[in-house]
Amino acid sequence: MKQIIIVLVALISLIACQNKAQETVNEEATNQSLDVQNMTHEEAMQLVKVKEHNVKNVGILVYEGVNDLDALGPRYVFKNIMGTNVITIALKPGNVKTVMGLEFVPDTTIAQVDSLDILVVPGGFKKTIENAYNDELLQWIRDIDKTTQYTTSVCTGGWILGKTGLLKGKKATGNWFRAKEILAENGATFTGERYTQDGKYWTSAGVTAGMDMSLAIMAELTGEDYTQAVMLDMEYDLKPPIEGGSVEKTKPEVLYFMKTMYASMADPVFEEMKTIK
């Protein structure tokens, strides 16, 4: 009995010491927090680490039928990089209407752009397939690639980028629909990741993944502190209301429905373009 009492006293003493230590840590953390809160903006800026970069010109390819978020998601992210000029580049003069019906005025055309530091090739659907067989566009991308620090694609934009031959021998990702098959046709290896980097080539999965990729590029260029600030500005802390959003998290019957729907729309266009070529 005496031994049990001794053990209990020892445990109580240990817990008391731990609580005291935790109180000290919490007090120090609170004091540090108060110190930060009392800082001026200029003082706080001195603590935020920002890397220097030499990216000046970012180009987002746009075309009739482009997916809204494929193009505008990366645009929003890259517009937050200080010192960069971000432009939308169309195939020809005139307004562009997205796959969801948003109409906007591009900044310029491919005929007016001969160099970029970052190129983003977004996806869509029918028009994306057609542009994957557009020789003028494919050659423009190859030429621009000679000047880029980053050549990227979002979603089915990888179908276009793949057709240039630039992804041959590279690891890449893209929209889940026949991703492995379509990338393999262009000599690339499908990773299945949200985004993938292979050298200067960055590719992302569908739509929202383009923002993940763009933020990852931002982090490489400007550092984690600056990127975290931009993420806070965006409140980029994703919490989907239900499980889903990937092949692995989607019910088999829903996945099958989506596969057959995509195939019914894509196959006729693929066949038409192959016949024309």
Side-chain angles (χ1 to χ4, degrees), residues 17 41 65 93 128 159-160 174 178 193-194 196-198 209 225 231 233 238 248 257 277:
C17 289
H41 176 72
T128 306
W159 297 356
I160 298 175
R178 295 181 186 167
E193 299 295 331
R194 185 90 169 145
T196 296
Q197 175 193 7
D198 193 332
D225 284 2
M231 289 174 65
D233 176 64
L238 306 183
E248 295 76 17
F257 163 73
K277 287 297 179 178

Side-chain angles (χ1 to χ4, degrees), residues 39-87:
M39 283 182 180
T40 64
H41 176 72
E42 288 71 21
E43 289 172 335
M45 280 294 293
Q46 297 300 316
L47 298 178
V48 177
K49 299 175 183 177
V50 182
K51 292 169 59 178
E52 293 185 3
H53 66 86
N54 58 353
V55 167
K56 300 298 181 185
N57 296 298
V58 179
I60 316 287
L61 178 69
V62 293
Y63 49 88
E64 196 74 12
V66 70
N67 186 294
D68 306 53
L69 201 54
D70 281 15
L72 299 182
R75 181 183 183 276
Y76 188 96
V77 173
F78 290 132
K79 282 288 285 186
N80 278 283
I81 301 179
M82 292 184 295
T84 62
N85 178 40
V86 182
I87 57 175

Side-chain angles (χ1 to χ4, degrees), residues 18-36:
Q18 289 177 334
N19 289 340
K20 184 66 176 177
Q22 186 61 49
E23 288 174 5
T24 302
V25 170
N26 291 339
E27 184 178 351
E28 289 177 355
T30 301
N31 289 336
Q32 289 176 359
S33 178
L34 288 174
D35 287 341
V36 171

